């Protein structure tokens, strides 16, 4: 069965520093996709970044990058140069054929950026 | 969250009442899903659909019904509301398969309280 594990319930980071949010996954699929979403206090789900299981390069989107280590089944999110507006809940999710292309979420990590 | 519209945004129900959460998308997406979000548990899949006329259960389907008569609409019905259904509900839609990289779009969420 597909499963996403986020082991950090909460993280603090100093403004302008980089932070890594951990995500490990479990699946028997060969073809799957990994997603990161941001949920600010207003509640909406904001798509950040996507990594396909066959992508050889780590995905990057502006200040966000995904450190994809397929053999270790990890897909950590790296946020560079943290900003106060990065304070939010962050969810890792995956989608694979094994689970009928449904999106499975981790429990989330709350990030607080300190000034 | 452009393209996925959820209504209502807030609702208070009495135990035993029924109601329907509406979800509509105008992007011609095949896949539509309903999730509930509870503290410390991330988002859990209630029901999903891979096209008009096709629905299936997710992780927590009990107490909810869905139908998909059109591509655009995917309503979620609470048959007899219970306090355990107090939660935030999200509708999501997307194209295609797991590794296609297609962004999954979320509605803004519906805050439901059952008293």
């Amino acid at each position: 069965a597909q499963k996403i594990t986020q082991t950090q319930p909460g993280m603090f980071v100093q403004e302008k520093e980089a932070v890594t949010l951990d995500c490990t996954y479990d699946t028997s699929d060969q073809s799957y996709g990994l997603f990161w979403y941001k949920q600010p206090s207003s509640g909406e789900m904001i798509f950040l970044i996507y990594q396909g299981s066959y992508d050889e390069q780590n995905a990057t989107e502006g200040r966000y990058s995904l450190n994809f280590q397929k053999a270790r089944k990890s897909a950590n999110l790296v946020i560079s140069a943290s900003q106060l507006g990065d304070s939010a809940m962050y969810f890792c999710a995956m989608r694979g054929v094994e689970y009928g292309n449904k999106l499975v979420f981790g429990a989330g990590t709350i990030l607080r950026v300190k000034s | 969250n452009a393209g996925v519209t959820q209504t209502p945004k807030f609702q208070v129900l009495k135990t035993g009442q029924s109601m329907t959460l509406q979800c509509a998308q105008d992007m011609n997406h095949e896949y539509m899903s309903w999730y509930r979000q509870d503290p410390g548990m991330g988002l859990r899949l209630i029901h999903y659909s891979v096209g008009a006329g096709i629905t299936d259960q997710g992780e927590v389907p009990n107490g909810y019904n869905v139908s998909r008569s059109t591509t655009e609409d995917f309503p979620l019905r609470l048959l007899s509301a219970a306090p355990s259904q107090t939660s935030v509900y999200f509708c999501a839609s997307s194209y295609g398969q797991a590794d296609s990289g297609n962004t999954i779009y979320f509605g803004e969420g519906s805050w439901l309280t059952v008293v």
Side-chain angles (χ1 to χ4, degrees):
Chain A
Q2 293 185 342
K3 185 179 179 181
I4 293 282
T5 302
Q6 294 180 254
T7 57
Q8 305 154 314
M11 292 279 288
F12 283 96
V13 63
Q14 195 68 38
E15 193 177 10
K16 299 182 184 177
E17 292 185 350
V19 62
T20 298
L21 305 184
D22 293 340
C23 173
T24 58
Y25 60 92
D26 189 21
T27 183
S28 58
D29 271 335
Q30 297 301 309
S31 176
Y32 51 89
L34 296 155
F35 300 78
W36 277 93
Y37 286 87
K38 172 185 179 181
Q39 187 180 44
S41 57
S42 53
E44 71 266 33
M45 296 289 287
I46 301 169
F47 167 75
L48 295 178
I49 197 166
Y50 167 84
Q51 178 85 40
S53 57
Y54 292 121
D55 294 340
E56 295 185 354
Q57 302 268 1
N58 286 344
T60 60
E61 291 286 348
R63 295 187 298 111
Y64 304 107
S65 60
L66 199 152
N67 184 0
F68 181 46
Q69 298 187 42
K70 193 171 182 178
R72 297 179 60 186
K73 293 188 176 178
S74 74
N76 298 339
L77 177 70
V78 180
I79 304 174
S80 63
S82 297
Q83 302 172 357
L84 294 178
D86 292 335
S87 292
M89 175 75 88
Y90 288 81
F91 291 102
C92 179
M94 74 172 297
R95 189 182 183 195
V97 175
E98 177 191 12
Y99 196 49
N101 289 300
K102 293 169 277 189
L103 197 60
V104 176
F105 284 84
T109 297
I110 298 175
L111 177 67
R112 290 288 177 254
V113 180
K114 299 184 291 184
S115 59
Chain B
N1 294 334
V4 180
T5 304
Q6 269 183 253
T7 57
K9 193 168 179 66
F10 300 98
Q11 183 73 48
V12 178
L13 283 178
K14 292 183 178 179
T15 297
Q17 286 185 318
S18 62
M19 77 157 296
T20 299
L21 297 176
Q22 302 290 347
C23 177
Q25 53 90 10
D26 59 0
M27 298 172 281
N28 202 30
H29 284 167
E30 303 165 321
Y31 288 80
M32 296 187 74
S33 307
W34 277 103
Y35 294 86
R36 59 177 289 172
Q37 183 178 14
D38 302 295
M41 303 187 75
L43 277 74
R44 292 181 294 166
L45 182 66
I46 304 171
H47 284 286
Y48 74 102
S49 169
V50 299
I54 306 169
T55 64
D56 205 348
Q57 296 181 349
E59 183 182 358
V60 287
N62 292 339
Y64 308 93
N65 272 357
V66 292
S67 60
R68 185 102 179 264
S69 56
T70 67
T71 299
E72 295 77 19
D73 299 300
F74 191 45
L76 178 73
R77 298 182 186 85
L78 280 70
L79 308 172
S80 177
S84 61
Q85 293 179 303
T86 294
S87 190
V88 183
Y89 292 84
F90 286 95
C91 178
S93 75
S94 69
Y95 286 119
Q97 298 295 311
D99 62 346
S100 60
N102 293 304
T103 301
I104 298 168
Y105 294 86
F106 283 84
E108 293 185 337
S110 297
W111 274 252
L112 177 66
T113 301
V114 183
V115 298

